Amino acid sequence: MTRRRLSIADRRQELIAAALELFSTRPAAEVTLDDVAAQAGVSRALAYRYFGGRGELYVAAMRFAADQMLALLDPPRDAPPLDRVVEAIRRFFDFAEEHATGFQALLAGHPGAHEGAIGSIVEEVRAALYDRLVEGMGTRHVSAELRLALTVWIAAAEAAAKDWLTHRDLPRRAVEDFLLSQLYAGLSVAATRDREVAQFLEGLS
């Protein structure tokens, strides 16, 4: 069967989609560019034409995965703050579960020449999640206490997702509820010295 002609952007996207599908079932380090070419149904030479090597494709795939995650973590803006947080946690776990191996690979980084690029993508995701939490709270000033509470919580959310994907010995809903309680606890500590955070929590009750 003759393959349809695609633009450069569409062909690259086809290969990225094939890579993400493989990353969702196998450790990224075990996936070669030849594997991706076979998954996409294209020749090895064509895959190398669009991506110089596995590392370049890996970075592009993680970039696309990160963009997908950020899009999912943006619930309807007209929802109440608590509903937005609950929905964001649910979507975070939706993504982590659907792309389990790729998600773990993204957080683990990629040793070697592309480690810096993957690290930058991860930090961008963390920064965007942080900004959305602050925006959702409607705070006008981010105190040191609030910054610490949110930064620690984001790290906890990543660790909880990785732990759940590894063990799966708790219902996913229980882990989501745990994270929501963790966020409330962290904000409660920050509220002792930050009146804006205290007012936000009062508005939730």
Side-chain angles (χ1 to χ4, degrees):
M1 181 177 67
T2 303
R3 288 185 57 83
R4 57 195 175 91
R5 295 182 62 85
L6 296 176
S7 67
I8 293 176
D10 287 342
R11 182 67 74 196
R12 283 177 61 89
Q13 190 56 50
E14 182 181 56
L15 289 165
I16 287 172
L20 286 173
E21 187 171 347
L22 291 175
F23 292 155
S24 70
T25 58
R26 292 163 53 186
E30 296 179 3
V31 177
T32 68
L33 195 55
D34 288 0
D35 293 332
V36 175
Q39 179 71 21
V42 302
S43 68
R44 180 177 185 271
L46 187 61
Y48 277 91
R49 173 184 172 187
Y50 288 100
F51 295 97
R54 194 194 74 87
E56 183 181 336
L57 175 58
Y58 181 81
V59 172
M62 292 301 101
R63 169 76 272 168
F64 183 76
D67 289 342
Q68 283 187 309
M69 183 189 295
L70 289 176
L72 283 173
L73 293 177
D74 196 15
R77 296 179 181 271
D78 57 352
L82 181 59
D83 291 348
R84 284 173 56 83
V85 172
V86 170
E87 181 66 9
I89 293 174
R90 185 187 67 79
R91 293 183 182 191
F92 176 77
F93 274 87
D94 280 346
F95 181 88
E97 186 171 15
E98 183 178 351
H99 304 285
T101 305
F103 174 83
Q104 290 172 311
L106 177 61
L107 295 183
H110 181 65
H114 297 278
E115 182 177 7
I118 297 299
S120 295
I121 292 172
V122 173
E123 288 305 316
E124 183 181 334
V125 171
R126 290 170 179 159
L129 179 55
Y130 174 89
D131 289 343
R132 287 173 187 182
L133 287 168
V134 171
E135 179 186 353
M137 291 179 63
T139 185
R140 295 182 298 276
H141 169 71
V142 178
S143 64
E145 290 80 10
L146 176 57
R147 184 190 67 241
L148 179 61
L150 296 181
T151 300
V152 168
W153 184 80
I154 290 170
E158 292 177 4
K162 289 170 68 176
D163 180 84
W164 181 75
L165 289 170
T166 299
H167 301 287
R168 297 185 188 251
D169 51 1
L170 285 172
R172 195 184 108 175
R173 178 60 182 273
V175 182
E176 293 176 2
D177 289 344
F178 176 83
L179 281 176
L180 187 60
S181 297
Q182 286 283 92
L183 179 58
Y184 188 88
L187 292 178
S188 295
V189 174
T192 62
R193 299 181 61 181
D194 186 323
R195 183 56 189 159
E196 269 198 280
V197 176
Q199 290 175 338
F200 172 76
L201 292 180
E202 289 168 3
L204 297 180
S205 58

